[in-house]
Amino acid sequence: MLFNIYYEYLKSQGVDDKHSVWRDYVTYGGMPFAATLKSHEDKSKCLQELFRNAYLADVLERCKLQNDENVLEDLLDIISSSIGSLTNPTKLANTFNTIKHIKISPKTISRYLDYFVDAFMK
């Protein structure tokens, strides 16, 4: 399946350099609009906006979180940066307090993490 998607992506690029197309594909994914953009900055911005509009907006709306977008984005950044490291809501709350100077309870962190899990499952 992956190679079928990549093959479609490769054909859409209209170039013969399969190595550079593969590098772009694994770096930016196969999102059709992002594939049409030329610069790293434009592709990154497009994918960030897509993520923010599709994923974060969904979590914020579905879970009725009104003023927590920045906290959710920061939490995603923190847990994404610590893949493979052991963590828990208390450690994450301490990170917010120390680095972001935001007081947030471990219970709230745990609830937000549950929201992320639910969003990936649906």
Side-chain angles (χ1 to χ4, degrees):
M1 179 74 172
L2 174 64
F3 291 109
N4 290 340
I5 295 169
Y6 169 67
Y7 182 70
E8 289 177 21
Y9 182 81
L10 177 64
K11 285 193 320 184
S12 75
Q13 296 302 297
V15 296
D16 292 330
D17 184 4
K18 292 178 183 177
H19 296 292
S20 69
V21 173
W22 176 252
R23 187 175 47 249
D24 278 356
Y25 180 76
V26 297
T27 302
Y28 304 109
M31 299 305 296
F33 181 71
T36 66
L37 302 173
K38 298 300 177 198
S39 74
H40 166 75
E41 291 78 16
D42 289 343
K43 289 178 183 184
S44 294
K45 183 179 177 184
C46 173
L47 294 173
Q48 287 170 356
E49 287 176 9
L50 179 64
F51 178 80
R52 188 174 295 113
N53 292 335
Y55 182 70
L56 279 179
D58 174 63
V59 171
L60 290 165
E61 182 179 325
R62 198 167 21 87
C63 301
K64 297 180 181 18
L65 303 172
Q66 296 177 356
N67 299 318
D68 296 341
E69 184 172 353
N70 291 335
V71 171
L72 288 176
E73 284 188 57
D74 289 343
L75 180 57
L76 280 172
D77 287 344
I78 291 168
I79 61 175
S80 296
S81 297
S82 61
I83 295 291
S85 300
L86 295 177
T87 191
N88 60 53
T90 301
K91 286 172 118 178
L92 293 167
N94 290 340
T95 299
F96 267 92
N97 191 26
T98 303
I99 296 174
K100 299 290 184 178
H101 306 292
I102 297 173
K103 187 94 169 134
I104 187 166
S105 73
K107 184 177 177 179
T108 299
I109 295 284
S110 182
R111 195 172 79 240
Y112 288 174
L113 292 172
D114 288 341
Y115 294 158
F116 293 148
V117 170
D118 288 345
F120 280 118
M121 300 306 244
K122 295 183 180 187

